[in-house]
Amino acid sequence: MAKKKGGPKGRKITLKMAKNSMRISPEGGIRLDLSKMGITTFPKCILKLADVDELDLSRNMLKKIPNTIEKFQKLRWLDLHSNQLEDLPKAVGTLQNLYYLNVCNNKLTTNKLPEELNLLKNLRILNLGLNCLESIPPSLGALKELKELGLFDNLLTTIPKSVKRLPKLEKMNTLRNPFPEPKEEYIDPIKRVESLYLVQEKDLCSSCLKNCQGEKDKLNQFKDTELCPPKKLSFPSLLTPNSTAMDDQEQWRLKDEHL
């Protein structure tokens, strides 16, 4: 009997391989770069390298990040984009030094986003694009330091006011979401007033009196303008209709009488 085939077997990462993947980041910190390694499960061996500043596990086939991610307390930069993640662990909220978190292009749904994300008080950049999010937790409004937020290519129909009003938010990408089209606001072309007050000229200040006089002059000018009556059509070169025919008929009648 043939054995049932499982999922794709990922590449096994050893501690030596992980150490050889450590780099100096542009900011001068230590980055553990395990991107594009064909990894399907979180390598336990990298817990021995938990003092790194940056961790890149992007473009793999990871389906789960364990709660042991909390060991990376110095972590400031975490890139998990382009995996197959369906949820994030609550422990991600313990990474208080994190300022960059990228989970774009995964399979995250709204109910799998941990509430603990709102504990990342130093987070500046958060990318949630290209997932399956139907809504955004209003609790993300607690991320007061957030400057950039990626929400593109999800299933969003609205953005919480608490997120829109983040004090330091500079960029928010919400492209390609099924937002309802805004309703056109009807503008009444007729200017209407609720009350009309009549006052005497002596009760008006000089500027108001001047404005009123100007409007009055315009109104009088309009009244004095008479519409020109339509001109009567004149055809000086033409005779009265059938007049020529009538003259000809008279001449022929007279000729007949003299014959």
Side-chain angles (χ1 to χ4, degrees):
M1 185 176 179
K3 292 183 179 181
K4 185 178 180 181
K5 293 183 179 181
K9 189 175 181 180
R11 185 178 182 183
K12 185 177 180 180
I13 301 297
T14 65
L15 182 59
K16 182 178 180 180
M17 291 170 63
K19 287 182 176 180
N20 290 336
S21 299
M22 296 177 74
R23 306 282 186 271
I24 300 298
S25 71
E27 288 77 20
I30 301 175
R31 175 181 295 182
L32 177 54
D33 187 354
L34 297 176
S35 63
K36 297 183 288 186
M37 300 283 281
I39 304 171
T40 56
T41 56
F42 187 87
K44 293 181 180 180
C45 65
I46 67 173
L47 294 176
K48 296 181 179 180
L49 305 173
D51 59 344
V52 297
D53 303 290
E54 302 180 7
L55 177 59
D56 189 350
L57 290 168
S58 66
R59 290 165 285 188
N60 284 295
M61 295 177 285
L62 294 170
K63 292 185 177 181
K64 188 176 181 63
I65 300 296
N67 277 313
T68 50
I69 192 71
E70 66 185 0
K71 302 271 185 192
F72 292 81
Q73 283 300 304
K74 289 180 62 178
L75 209 60
R76 301 180 68 244
W77 193 92
L78 178 58
D79 195 346
L80 301 172
H81 87 265
S82 301
N83 278 283
Q84 298 176 19
L85 298 175
E86 296 180 357
D87 61 9
L88 290 176
K90 294 181 179 181
V92 74
T94 67
L95 305 178
Q96 291 295 299
N97 290 313
L98 207 64
Y99 79 88
Y100 175 94
L101 176 59
N102 188 354
V103 290
C104 168
N105 194 21
N106 279 286
K107 299 180 180 180
L108 297 173
T109 55
T110 302
N111 59 348
K112 295 295 183 179
L113 282 182
E115 279 287 322
E116 287 73 12
L117 279 178
N118 64 10
L119 300 177
L120 301 176
K121 303 301 184 182
N122 292 306
L123 200 63
R124 265 68 166 179
I125 301 172
L126 175 60
N127 193 347
L128 297 170
L130 277 166
N131 278 288
C132 306
L133 304 176
E134 295 182 351
S135 62
I136 297 299
S139 58
L140 290 186
L143 304 178
K144 303 301 183 182
E145 297 297 319
L146 200 65
K147 292 185 176 181
E148 298 184 22
L149 177 60
L151 299 173
F152 54 92
D153 292 289
N154 276 287
L155 304 172
L156 304 176
T157 56
T158 185
I159 305 294
K161 290 182 179 179
S162 60
V163 174
K164 290 181 180 179
R165 294 173 180 172
L166 283 168
K168 296 186 179 181
L169 193 62
E170 298 173 356
K171 297 179 182 178
M172 182 167 64
N173 188 343
T174 60
L175 294 175
R176 295 177 296 278
N177 278 284
F179 294 116
E181 293 188 8
K183 296 180 180 179
E184 293 186 3
E185 183 179 356
Y186 174 74
I187 301 177
D188 193 342
I190 301 175
K191 185 180 292 186
R192 305 176 189 275
V193 295
E194 294 182 359
S195 303
L196 180 63
Y197 298 95
L198 300 178
V199 296
Q200 295 183 356
E201 289 186 2
K202 63 182 181 65
D203 297 321
L204 294 174
C205 64
S206 58
S207 60
C208 292
L209 183 61
K210 184 177 180 180
N211 290 336
C212 291
Q213 189 60 50
E215 294 298 323
K216 183 178 179 182
D217 292 342
K218 289 180 183 178
L219 182 61
N220 290 334
Q221 186 179 3
F222 177 76
K223 288 181 178 179
D224 293 339
T225 304
E226 294 182 359
L227 295 176
C228 295
K231 293 183 179 180
K232 188 175 181 180
L233 296 178
S234 175
F235 304 94
S237 61
L238 296 180
L239 298 172
T240 305
N242 296 324
S243 58
T244 303
M246 291 172 64
D247 291 343
D248 290 345
Q249 289 287 349
E250 184 65 20
Q251 291 179 10
W252 282 108
R253 187 181 65 78
L254 293 173
K255 284 183 181 180
D256 290 340
E257 288 179 353
H258 288 87
L259 289 176

